[in-house]
Amino acid sequence: MTELFKIAPEPRYLFISDVHLGGFSPEKNREIETDLLSMIDYAESMKMEIIILGDLFDYWMEYPDRPPRVAPSVLERFAALHKKKPGTLFITGNHDNWTGSYLKDIGFDIEHEYRMFDLDNNRIFLMHGDGLSDQVFGLPRPFFHRLIRNVYFVSLYKKILPARSGIGLMRLYSRINRQLKAAFKPGNPRLDSWAVHHLKEKADTVICGHHHKPLFSAFGNKVYMNLGNFFNDRTAGIYANKSFYLVTWDGDSNTFTTLNSTHFSH
């Protein structure tokens, strides 16, 4: 894979989701951060644009002048990257959508819903995967996800609970939520079925995360890629040489292994 990216013409993209920084034991947190940092270094060396599709953090409840103290080494690395090239797209997930100004101030392009853009004459649809507010898409979020994303709920929450208590409670909730999800078989047939339907209607490629099960489906020139999870499987997505790749990252050898790929030609 390294040689491929050395000769690949731009654009090149690296898609990541469901890292859940700060959600585990100190030892596992360090391992995840170390591998993520090495992958960011690799992406920068290969001139790959990074796009984050939610749940980079296991919890993120930002109070005025008091962002959570989660994975500071990763935030410092992105801040340094943004001094050279600001604007890393960060589509928030159900664990890290309580943002204020901090992430924007260090150079992230924050989006709470979805983004669509054209890539080599193909329409790409990017989102986290827990649902969308716009009813036209037909993928409503579960009630509780709508509640915790509601600006009035978040405002009231911050007024009632001071930063230390509020962030601590959100950290506990996020951990319980992720552990409950882990108790069941990963995957979300509703999301996967919706993505395939959306490919028929409005996009050439759908990329998301959320359900922690890596998945790659190709239908002619249509592609659905679910990025799975980085915190256990180290999976990610890549676009290079007009091809999409579902990959795993090996932080020891600084290499990607391809799980699935397809050439995207129009």
Side-chain angles (χ1 to χ4, degrees), residues 9-36:
E10 296 185 43
R12 309 170 197 163
Y13 290 89
L14 172 64
F15 305 92
I16 59 176
S17 75
D18 296 275
V19 185
H20 288 272
L21 292 167
F24 307 94
S25 67
E27 180 181 6
K28 183 169 182 177
N29 285 333
R30 284 193 296 271
E31 291 173 355
I32 295 170
E33 290 180 33
T34 298
D35 284 347
L36 179 61

Side-chain angles (χ1 to χ4, degrees), residues 87-182:
T88 296
L89 176 59
F90 185 165
I91 300 177
T92 62
N94 52 298
H95 280 256
D96 51 18
N97 58 82
W98 310 278
T99 62
S101 62
Y102 179 77
L103 295 176
K104 291 181 181 179
D105 290 344
I106 63 172
F108 284 104
D109 174 11
I110 300 296
E111 169 63 63
H112 294 299
E113 290 293 328
Y114 68 93
R115 286 284 177 91
M116 295 183 71
F117 68 98
D118 293 323
L119 180 61
D120 290 329
N121 296 316
N122 293 278
R123 197 67 168 158
I124 314 300
F125 190 97
L126 305 174
M127 64 177 183
H128 175 59
D130 64 319
L132 297 166
S133 294
D134 193 334
Q135 295 182 2
V136 72
F137 290 109
L139 189 68
R141 293 187 174 96
F143 170 77
F144 195 69
H145 287 205
R146 296 198 304 271
L147 176 65
I148 60 177
R149 284 178 178 263
N150 184 277
V151 293
Y152 298 108
F153 171 80
V154 174
S155 177
L156 180 62
Y157 181 98
K158 292 179 181 179
K159 287 181 180 178
I160 294 174
L161 294 172
R164 183 174 180 179
S165 299
I167 293 172
L169 181 60
M170 191 56 60
R171 178 171 61 244
L172 177 62
Y173 158 74
S174 293
R175 184 166 297 186
I176 292 173
N177 178 269
R178 179 175 40 76
Q179 289 173 346
L180 286 173
K181 183 185 290 187

Side-chain angles (χ1 to χ4, degrees), residues 180-216:
L180 286 173
K181 183 185 290 187
F184 298 92
K185 186 177 180 180
N188 185 325
R190 171 177 172 264
L191 172 60
D192 297 337
S193 176
W194 177 90
V196 172
H197 174 76
H198 195 68
L199 287 171
K200 297 177 181 178
E201 301 294 333
K202 299 181 178 69
D204 298 300
T205 297
V206 173
I207 305 176
C208 61
H210 181 59
H211 68 34
H212 298 178
K213 180 181 179 180
L215 182 63
F216 190 101

Side-chain angles (χ1 to χ4, degrees), residues 55-73:
D55 288 358
L56 176 64
F57 305 102
D58 197 58
Y59 61 96
W60 188 270
M61 168 61 76
E62 188 176 332
Y63 281 72
D65 303 319
R66 177 73 184 275
R69 185 72 176 168
V70 187
S73 61

